[in-house]
Amino acid sequence: MKIAIIGLGSVGSAVATAVANTGMAQEIVLFDRDGVRARAAAEDLGHAAAFSYDIKITAVNNYRAIRGSEIVIIAAGANQKPGQTRTDLLHANAAVINDIVPRVMANVDAKNVKLIIVTNPLDVMVMLAQKISKLPPARVIGTGTMLDSARLRTILSRQLSVSTQSINAYVLGEHGDSSMINWSSACIGGIDLNTFCKQTKNSLPTSTRKTIEHRVRNAAYEIIRGRGATWDGIAGAVADLVRCIVNDEHRILTVSTLGAMYNKPISISLPRIVGRSGIIATLQPKMSTDETIAFRRSARIIRRNFDAL
Ligand code: NAD
């Protein structure tokens, strides 16, 4: 499979490494408007690949060279500076998506290509990329709250001393400050979270849940304060999504895609079945009244930001 990555900053470079390490791609092409940066990334990655898989990794300076790519990952655009929210990037990154998507679409097979959107504010950028590309929403996929859900599972794993692999717990809604934890559907080893806590003599009172919610929502801000940007977590999420698509795994991932939400088209994260054709089905998890209110609020915020463009 040929995979193209557009944008080779902190995130794009880490994504390229993580995708190369899945062994799923025979060819990876890298494009950045800064050609020197893309060429340096291709060189470095090519050297790393000599220790793992035989992959052809090339930097390209025009979009014609992405022809034949079945997956195009867009990780270009401004990132958050300390103190900035993802929404602060709205107009700058809309310009980036407006620049990239038509060029991508002029060079890929529209009947088959899957766009993976990473650029923030994520959900709005997915809506914009879908509008420009005119691709079926099932093939314009934002990483959504995959990363936020991983952060939640990591915290729960430490708190409850159980592997992240056994935890089914999702962050839903916006990949942003209005994201919410769907506690009502959380389960561990097939047992609902409350029963699990009782059986293992753990407790997760409301105050602890609120702290966890705060930590999940603020994880990116903490990481940006400490190392200037976030890249490893999102790279893991993108590689997992690529694996799920290429292997047609039909796994459930909290990705973001355009769909009818409260009678309006909105891109938002829900648990979805993902495979080779993109998004196969969207699931509606059980939500408490408070969770439904939070999810609706998140949907309203995404739509309002899209309308502001
Ligand atoms: P960065 O500044 O390190 O890199 C951005 C890269 O994009 C640069 O190399 C730049 O030259 C390139 N670029 C900008 N405009 C371009 C264009 N029109 N065409 C081609 N290349 C272009 O930023 P970063 O830290 O790599 O972050 C990239 C994006 O990923 C940001 O929007 C950031 O907020 C987002 N992000 C998303 C998640 C997520 O969970 N979805 C997580 C982390 C970061």
Side-chain angles (χ1 to χ4, degrees), residues 94-121:
V96 171
I97 296 294
N98 270 312
D99 170 45
I100 293 172
V101 174
R103 295 170 199 255
V104 167
M105 291 313 297
N107 290 287
V108 291
D109 174 8
K111 291 199 187 68
N112 195 27
V113 72
K114 267 77 62 184
L115 300 187
I116 294 181
I117 310 297
V118 181
T119 306
N120 278 319

Side-chain angles (χ1 to χ4, degrees), residues 86 151 155 214-224 230:
R86 294 174 182 90
R151 287 170 176 157
I155 294 171
H214 178 81
R215 283 177 63 199
V216 169
R217 212 175 276 141
N218 284 283
Y221 293 105
E222 291 295 323
I223 296 168
I224 289 167
T230 76

Side-chain angles (χ1 to χ4, degrees), residues 7-11 31-33 37 75-79 89 93 96 99-100 118-120 122 143 147 175 230 234:
L8 270 300
S10 312
V11 171
F31 178 87
D32 194 290
R33 69 175 176 192
R37 180 179 264 195
N79 60 12
L89 309 171
N93 284 348
V96 171
D99 170 45
I100 293 172
V118 181
T119 306
N120 278 319
L122 191 278
T143 47
L147 177 54
H175 170 62
T230 76
I234 184 60

Side-chain angles (χ1 to χ4, degrees), residues 110-269:
K111 291 199 187 68
N112 195 27
V113 72
K114 267 77 62 184
L115 300 187
I116 294 181
I117 310 297
V118 181
T119 306
N120 278 319
L122 191 278
D123 305 282
V124 181
M125 296 303 117
V126 173
M127 292 172 75
L128 186 59
Q130 192 283 326
K131 185 178 169 196
I132 300 167
S133 66
K134 299 188 179 65
L135 286 172
R139 288 194 277 117
V140 184
I141 309 167
T143 47
T145 53
M146 280 183 75
L147 177 54
D148 315 66
S149 298
R151 287 170 176 157
L152 170 63
R153 286 167 51 227
T154 307
I155 294 171
L156 286 176
S157 163
R158 289 173 191 160
Q159 183 100 15
L160 304 173
S161 300
V162 63
S163 165
T164 51
Q165 306 300 320
S166 301
I167 301 174
N168 272 301
Y170 298 126
V171 177
L172 304 177
E174 183 195 19
H175 170 62
D177 295 343
S178 73
S179 67
M180 42 81 63
I181 296 180
N182 182 208
W183 293 108
S184 304
S185 76
C187 66
I188 300 179
I191 299 169
D192 74 82
L193 186 59
N194 293 335
T195 310
F196 176 89
C197 286
K198 261 188 219 134
Q199 290 185 6
T200 56
K201 303 200 175 9
N202 277 295
S203 87
L204 277 181
T206 309
S207 57
T208 308
R209 291 182 191 218
K210 285 213 177 317
T211 306
I212 292 175
E213 202 142 354
H214 178 81
R215 283 177 63 199
V216 169
R217 212 175 276 141
N218 284 283
Y221 293 105
E222 291 295 323
I223 296 168
I224 289 167
R225 248 195 301 279
R227 68 191 311 210
T230 76
W231 56 84
D232 286 323
I234 184 60
V238 175
D240 196 40
L241 179 53
V242 166
R243 205 181 292 115
C244 190
I245 293 171
V246 178
N247 284 340
D248 197 22
E249 289 177 7
H250 289 225
R251 255 185 309 124
I252 294 171
L253 305 173
T254 53
V255 286
S256 180
T257 194
L258 191 73
M261 201 57 60
Y262 311 117
N263 299 322
K264 286 202 169 146
I266 294 174
S267 183
I268 193 164
S269 287

